[in-house]
Amino acid sequence: METEKPKSAMNNRSKKFAKTFQKVISLKSATKIASNNGICMLNSNLKVKEDSFTDHHIKTNGNNNKNKARNKAVMEALIARLFAGVTTIKASYAELQMAQHPYNNDSIQVADQAVVDELRAISELKRRFLKKELNLSPQVTIMLAEIQEQQSIMKTYEITIKKLQGEVDAKESHISSLRKKLDECISFNKSLEKKLNSNASLSLFVNLEISMLNHTHFVYFLHHTLKSIRTFVKLMIEEMESANWDVEAAVKFIHPNAVFNKPSHRCFGFESFVCITMFESFNYPNFIFSNDPLHNYHQNHYFDKFKRLRSLNPKQYLENNPNSSFAKFLKSKYLQLVHAKMECSLFGNLNQRKLVNSGGYPDSAFFLAFAEMAKRVWTLHYLALSFQENVSIFQVKKNTRFSEVYMESVTEESVSTTSVDSTTDSNSGEFRVVFTVVPGFKIGKTVIQSQVYLSLVDSSPSSS
């Protein structure tokens, strides 16, 4: 019985210890303990173990965070390296394409090898990644990848620039070729135009003898002369427009009360002015007033001059014959037709006028066109003097009724259209002459119609 007492005491003491230990753990803190049975020592040991566990946990978490950060940096470096590799392959492929046109074998080999090397490097990177053998320095790898990518991008830009420059060079070469062809076509057209203007109507005069001369020859050469007049008028209007002239105001100065049916008809006003100036005194030998009639001069003399001059270059003839009658005629007509204010406005100076006045001959397109026109008028004058019959020139007065015998309209479509209307309505009006564009000619009793600009006016006693 005595032996059981100690056992019961131990059990009670054990139960009390367990209860106290549980209370300490649940509270996790106790500043004062009632008994001194060693529980304070146990509490002290517990605190030490808890601190060690916390340090270990923090250290483990810190290592895990560092590993995660490093892994993240390594993956970023890996992706940067892959992107740089793709950019390098793209640049090398662009270089490979560039080397195809034009074909460059060395460049093709270099570009192809660059693609192969980069693919191998990416393949090796893949192998090391799968086997977890990546040993990258993230900062260095990212920096090198960025450098590689920038170099590849610059290389791609250089290739693109070369390609664009090549296309620009090809376009410029094509443009140059087209421009050359255009110049050749323009030159060819000008030569054809020159031949047509100079030879189309002149073929009739080949081997022509004075005994064979008739009115048809005069009409042909008159049309040949009018072509050069219209060429000069066109050039003169272009020069006016280039100098910012008011073309409408200029033509109204020539014909103040003229009303044009279309703006394009204003050219007839300038053509009228040129013809009036160039054909003035046509009825007299050498365009100089004389009481002697034309037919009193020897026709063979003038016909020989006509045949000699009709195909000559006017500038060359003037240089070889500076004191000829034609040189005097040209000088007089130029100074009369091209007013000093007009020349200064068109060309900014009076250099051409001064040169012509002193006996020289400018090389400008404007003067050469004028010289060609003057030569044809002068040659037509010689042809007129070659006829045995008297040749005279006439103008039609303003507001004269239209007559098909003495006139033809420079705008025939309006005459034919309105003449039909006039037959159906007697009050529809009649055509009157606004001004003469090209004078008419009489060879004996034969009339070569003048060319006139017409206007439709009301048919009334006051207008007739």
Side-chain angles (χ1 to χ4, degrees), residues 344-356:
C344 187
S345 174
L346 295 181
F347 308 113
N349 54 58
L350 297 175
N351 293 343
Q352 289 191 155
R353 189 177 191 84
K354 292 177 182 178
L355 188 59
V356 173

Side-chain angles (χ1 to χ4, degrees), residues 283 293-295 384 387-392 442-446:
N283 289 340
L294 291 178
H295 62 270
F387 282 87
Q388 291 184 353
E389 300 164 295
N390 185 33
V391 178
S392 60
K442 288 183 179 180
I443 305 176
K445 295 182 179 180
T446 302

Side-chain angles (χ1 to χ4, degrees), residues 237 247 260-270 411 413 453:
I237 294 174
V247 178
F260 296 94
N261 300 324
K262 297 179 181 179
S264 59
H265 290 175
R266 290 195 293 258
C267 65
F268 296 123
F270 293 106
T411 56
E413 65 278 5
Y453 189 79

Side-chain angles (χ1 to χ4, degrees), residues 53-77:
F53 176 78
T54 303
D55 291 342
H56 176 72
H57 182 70
I58 292 173
K59 186 175 182 180
T60 301
N61 288 340
N63 290 335
N64 288 338
N65 291 335
K66 287 182 180 179
N67 289 335
K68 287 181 180 179
R70 175 173 173 77
N71 290 337
K72 182 179 179 182
V74 170
M75 290 303 296
E76 289 178 352

Side-chain angles (χ1 to χ4, degrees), residues 1-250:
M1 293 300 290
E2 292 178 353
T3 57
E4 291 180 358
K5 288 180 181 179
K7 188 174 180 181
S8 177
M10 287 297 294
N11 290 334
N12 292 331
R13 190 178 294 175
S14 297
K15 289 179 180 179
K16 187 177 181 180
F17 177 81
K19 186 176 180 180
T20 303
F21 182 77
Q22 186 175 3
K23 185 177 180 181
V24 170
I25 292 176
S26 63
L27 294 174
K28 291 186 181 181
S29 63
T31 57
K32 293 182 180 180
I33 305 300
S35 62
N36 294 323
N37 54 5
I39 292 176
C40 287
M41 179 62 84
L42 181 59
N43 188 44
S44 177
N45 291 338
L46 180 62
K47 185 177 180 181
V48 171
K49 289 180 180 179
E50 188 180 51
D51 291 342
S52 299
F53 176 78
T54 303
D55 291 342
H56 176 72
H57 182 70
I58 292 173
K59 186 175 182 180
T60 301
N61 288 340
N63 290 335
N64 288 338
N65 291 335
K66 287 182 180 179
N67 289 335
K68 287 181 180 179
R70 175 173 173 77
N71 290 337
K72 182 179 179 182
V74 170
M75 290 303 296
E76 289 178 352
L78 178 64
I79 293 173
R81 175 66 183 83
L82 287 173
F83 284 168
V86 172
T87 306
T88 301
I89 292 173
K90 181 181 177 181
S92 300
Y93 184 70
E95 187 177 17
L96 185 65
Q97 287 183 316
M98 187 71 180
Q100 297 287 340
H101 305 286
Y103 185 81
N104 188 329
N105 185 60
D106 293 338
S107 297
I108 289 174
Q109 295 296 329
V110 171
D112 183 66
Q113 188 61 44
V115 173
V116 172
D117 292 344
E118 193 58 39
L119 288 174
R120 285 177 178 173
I122 294 175
S123 179
E124 175 62 19
L125 206 61
K126 176 185 175 182
R127 186 191 67 78
R128 289 166 57 190
F129 173 76
L130 294 175
K131 291 189 175 184
K132 299 180 180 179
E133 295 177 354
L134 285 175
N135 186 18
L136 301 175
S137 175
Q139 292 181 350
V140 175
T141 302
I142 290 175
M143 182 178 66
L144 293 176
E146 189 172 335
I147 292 173
Q148 180 182 353
E149 187 169 5
Q150 292 299 325
Q151 288 177 340
S152 299
I153 291 173
M154 289 178 64
K155 189 176 182 181
T156 304
Y157 285 158
E158 289 175 359
I159 292 169
T160 304
I161 290 171
K162 286 182 180 178
K163 183 178 179 181
L164 292 175
Q165 186 61 47
E167 291 178 357
V168 170
D169 293 341
K171 293 291 185 183
E172 287 181 350
S173 177
H174 186 57
I175 290 171
S176 179
S177 177
L178 291 177
R179 186 176 287 113
K180 185 178 180 181
K181 289 182 179 179
L182 177 62
D183 292 339
E184 290 176 355
C185 289
I186 292 173
S187 178
F188 180 71
N189 288 339
K190 284 183 177 180
S191 65
L192 284 180
E193 184 179 0
K194 187 176 180 180
K195 288 179 181 178
L196 288 172
N197 289 339
S198 59
N199 297 327
S201 60
L202 299 185
S203 60
L204 190 68
F205 299 92
V206 177
N207 300 322
L208 178 67
E209 299 295 334
I210 192 170
S211 58
M212 303 164 58
L213 195 61
N214 58 49
H215 306 156
T216 303
H217 296 101
F218 186 86
V219 173
Y220 265 73
F221 203 86
L222 174 62
H223 290 165
H224 176 67
T225 304
L226 294 179
K227 285 181 181 179
S228 66
I229 290 175
R230 283 160 189 157
T231 299
F232 176 77
V233 169
K234 181 181 178 181
L235 182 59
M236 184 173 67
I237 294 174
E238 289 175 355
E239 293 288 352
M240 288 179 176
E241 292 175 341
S242 179
N244 297 320
W245 272 46
D246 187 342
V247 178
E248 184 175 358

